[in-house]
Amino acid sequence: MDGFFPPAPARATLAVAVDALFRRYDTWFRRTLRKRYGDMADDLAHEAYLRTAAHEAEGKVRHPKAFLLNVANNLATDQFRRQKRESDHIAYSSALTFSSTVAPQEYQLILKQIVLALPPELRDVFVLSHINGLTHRESALQLGLTERTVKERMRRATLRVAAAMRD
């Protein structure tokens, strides 16, 4: 259990709680969410009602409007983070694919110049990973950094290299 969800109440109790929340707050809630999140409003409202109803059925919600809005805001934040991770992953995974009529030797020279032009902190993790074949964990140990820092620097370095290769 993740601490967020209480034990699931009976289905009938949950249905009554969702219905009560919906009847009381739907007009205000959807209008507020549309102002903030546009097209995401309906999905956020639906999920927020379900999550809030579980707590409401247990009688643990003192301020339902605030609770609903907080749940919806957290869901939206999670969605934005997920979208950013997905777009970063796509950019990261396609970053070093390069198709051109450039000869392999010229390609290697161009890549070497681009890598050498990176800031030192990005260049170090890029070289350790792509040239020396170390994992993020091994690079972190060698550089005295956290694995998370190495991953972030690697992501930034790869995106810069890819952008330079496209130019």
Side-chain angles (χ1 to χ4, degrees):
M1 190 171 268
D2 64 4
F4 182 75
F5 290 108
R11 223 180 188 131
T13 307
L14 191 59
V16 169
V18 169
D19 187 54
L21 287 168
F22 181 81
R23 287 177 189 270
R24 254 183 274 153
Y25 304 113
D26 192 57
T27 303
W28 162 82
F29 190 47
R30 287 185 195 263
R31 182 180 50 231
T32 303
L33 293 179
R34 278 193 193 95
K35 285 179 187 175
R36 290 185 184 185
Y37 303 113
D39 293 338
M40 292 174 52
D42 291 333
D43 291 337
L44 291 172
H46 176 78
E47 187 65 26
Y49 281 131
L50 292 176
R51 291 185 183 210
T52 302
H55 293 280
E56 180 78 6
E58 297 289 320
K60 295 180 180 178
V61 178
R62 287 190 209 159
H63 305 286
K65 284 175 81 170
F67 196 89
L68 273 168
L69 199 52
N70 195 30
V71 169
N73 288 335
N74 290 341
L75 289 166
T77 299
D78 290 345
Q79 179 66 25
F80 292 138
R81 285 181 185 151
R82 192 170 20 263
Q83 288 171 346
K84 179 162 178 17
R85 269 195 316 271
E86 289 171 1
S87 67
D88 286 351
H89 177 71
I90 290 168
Y92 182 80
S93 63
S94 66
L96 293 178
T97 56
F98 182 73
S99 60
S100 172
T101 57
V102 176
Q105 295 88 0
E106 290 178 53
Y107 174 77
Q108 287 178 348
L109 180 62
I110 292 168
L111 181 60
K112 183 177 181 181
Q113 291 170 344
I114 291 169
V115 170
L116 289 174
L118 288 172
E121 67 275 3
L122 301 181
R123 182 179 56 237
D124 292 345
V125 297
F126 189 88
V127 168
L128 288 174
S129 179
H130 283 290
I131 311 281
N132 297 348
L134 297 182
T135 65
H136 292 313
R137 177 170 281 140
E138 293 167 338
S139 297
L141 289 172
Q142 187 166 339
L143 295 171
L145 301 169
T146 65
E147 191 173 344
R148 182 177 177 149
T149 300
V150 169
K151 286 179 183 179
E152 177 57 23
R153 288 182 182 179
M154 189 62 210
R155 183 190 67 78
R156 290 179 20 224
T158 304
L159 291 174
R160 282 189 181 196
V161 168
M165 293 296 284
R166 283 190 294 269
D167 292 344

